[in-house]
Amino acid sequence: MNGAQSAGRVIVLLGSPGVGKGTQGIRLSGAMGWAHVSTGDLLRAALKAGTALGLEARKFMDAGELVPDEVMVDLVREHLAAMGSDRGVVFDGFPRTVPQAEALGAVLAEEGRQVDQVVLLEADAEVLVRRISGRRSSPSGRVYNVHFDPPRRPGFCDDTGEPLIHRADDQPETVRTRLSVYREATAPLVGYYDARGVLVRVDGEGDIGEVQAALREAVGVARGATATGA
Ligand code: AMP
């Protein structure tokens, strides 16, 4: 919890599907030289690569349900071990349940680390639905929004030129399931982290730049700061 010590910091972005955790997490981690760990991206990569993990996860993802905790914890543990502990990390989409939060605390403690800050991004339900319905993803991992953050050439990624995808789990019925799974399984993490004194709330309704500025202020990194140790 020391603002002067950025290396090795662990930040969790919490919030409903569609609130902007991915967009904001990529920007924050990119600016600070921290790792961005999106478990949804890790699962989609496993699926694309056709691994056993990807195939197992698929049925849950397509239905908008959560992949079992043990699978997720193993995935994150392996990912962290491969990364080394001196780099800051922004988690996006993990933890999503109280057992996952407990396991993350234990894995970090083995490295002498802890969750330093949890940022709850908040937005009205109407905003969430508009954001999710406009979302288009590049196979590269970059996410656009046809309303708020469109690609230069409609339908194609600015970086790689690949066609953009409307994720199967961004279709309306699955979105409803994901929102109710969030309320039941993930929202209890607000109380969990609040009780540990690490929760901070950020208004996620502004445009991308406004939310990013508020997020950086919340985690104590100056706007424009880019160094890992800043
Ligand atoms: P996301 O891209 O974060 O919205 O994740 C897409 C899907 O991957 C979710 O709807 C879940 O099926 C699965 N998933 C991602 N992260 C987790 C997690 N921490 N626990 C369980 N399932 C997850």
Side-chain angles (χ1 to χ4, degrees), residues 17-18 21 38-41 43-44 57-69 72-73 75-76 92-97 100 135 167 169-170 174 178 181:
K21 299 185 298 294
S38 155
T39 43
D41 285 351
L43 292 173
R44 281 183 288 276
R58 177 175 205 153
K59 54 183 184 292
F60 298 102
M61 296 172 77
D62 283 353
E65 304 281 356
L66 294 183
V67 174
D69 287 338
M72 297 311 302
V73 170
L75 178 68
V76 168
D92 152 12
F94 185 90
R96 253 177 160 102
T97 65
Q100 288 182 16
R135 183 149 73 180
R167 270 167 48 180
D169 63 349
D170 280 342
T174 314
R178 289 167 64 207
V181 166

Side-chain angles (χ1 to χ4, degrees), residues 136-139 144 150-165:
R136 299 292 181 274
S137 309
S138 165
Y144 298 85
R152 284 194 293 274
R153 184 173 154 223
F156 295 90
C157 180
D158 291 348
D159 300 333
T160 64
E162 292 167 284
L164 301 180
I165 298 156

Side-chain angles (χ1 to χ4, degrees), residues 21 51 74-75 131 140 142 150-151 157 166 183 198 202 217 230:
K21 299 185 298 294
T51 66
D74 284 350
L75 178 68
R131 284 192 183 159
S140 72
R142 185 161 167 189
C157 180
H166 193 181
R183 278 192 297 273
V198 292
V202 165
E217 198 179 325

